[in-house]
Amino acid sequence: MPRLSVGDRMPDFFFDTPFEAGRTLAQTAARVRGKTALVFLRYYGCPLCQYDMHRYAEAHEQLTAGGGQMLVALQSAPEQLAGQLQPGQLPYEIICDPQQALYRQLAIAPAASQKELAGLGTLFKLAKARAAGYRHGAYEGEELQLPAVFVLDRALQLTAVHYGARVDDLPGPKELAGLLR
């Protein structure tokens, strides 16, 4: 499948969370009156991903102020996350994709090399993550995986699409909140 663009319809898919199996994206998008942000990161053990997840959790009220919601997709196994997280610990749900099927389906490619994965901004962000106490956990999935963000309406129509060029190339909480309005 080629990369998605604004105006395309996001394909519907089934997914599992650490605490629930077999829901669809369409069911989930229909739960809210606003838009849904779908943020694809690497895996739970990645300190950059932990840092981003924490930043989005802290800003969750602003992110959902317009009646929308946020989901985070990780290449982590549901059973592993269920052992590390408690239900409701995060203010958003995690889509577990340990086989990376969604990443492939949505053309979210990994970087070609370690050199292409990171840039100067990555080093600054990693320093912030370490200063905040985030440490590398278990390796899962594709280590060179790049991020992506999709914002969709209740009909799964894409209103914003961002394929990251580096591992740190994501909209921050303030920018994502604007995309959800």
Side-chain angles (χ1 to χ4, degrees):
M1 167 180 237
R3 284 186 164 197
L4 295 168
S5 300
V6 171
D8 290 344
R9 186 174 190 283
M10 171 68 86
D12 194 13
F13 54 82
F14 283 94
F15 65 88
D16 297 336
T17 75
F19 311 107
E20 182 182 358
R23 191 166 0 123
T24 68
L25 181 62
Q27 291 168 327
T28 304
R31 294 187 314 190
V32 296
R33 71 180 194 287
K35 296 176 184 176
T36 297
L38 182 51
V39 178
F40 281 81
L41 301 173
R42 295 190 315 165
Y43 53 90
Y44 192 68
C46 167
L48 291 172
C49 299
Q50 293 170 33
Y51 180 68
D52 284 326
M53 291 171 64
H54 173 76
R55 290 176 57 222
Y56 290 134
E58 282 185 329
H60 191 258
E61 196 170 300
Q62 292 82 17
L63 290 167
T64 59
Q69 67 183 333
M70 183 183 142
L71 306 168
V72 171
L74 297 174
Q75 297 176 353
S76 300
E79 58 276 4
Q80 181 168 341
L81 288 181
Q84 295 179 283
L85 298 170
Q86 298 300 314
Q89 183 176 341
L90 294 170
Y92 50 79
E93 292 184 283
I94 296 177
I95 294 173
C96 297
D97 187 17
Q99 304 305 317
Q100 302 142 41
L102 292 174
Y103 292 77
R104 285 190 298 278
Q105 179 183 0
L106 302 174
I108 309 169
S113 67
Q114 194 76 19
K115 182 180 178 184
E116 291 183 25
L117 180 69
L120 189 56
T122 309
L123 298 177
F124 288 122
K125 191 172 188 178
L126 186 56
K128 288 180 182 180
R130 287 184 176 149
Y134 297 106
R135 300 290 178 254
H136 211 295
Y139 286 90
E140 302 172 85
E142 170 59 63
E143 188 63 22
L144 298 178
Q145 184 62 57
L146 293 169
V149 176
F150 304 95
V151 179
L152 49 125
D153 65 17
R154 292 172 45 95
L156 305 186
Q157 196 80 23
L158 289 165
T159 61
V161 174
H162 178 81
Y163 286 91
R166 293 170 318 284
V167 71
D168 64 303
D169 183 15
L170 284 169
K174 190 174 188 176
E175 184 181 357
L176 188 58
L179 295 173
L180 280 165
R181 287 192 171 71

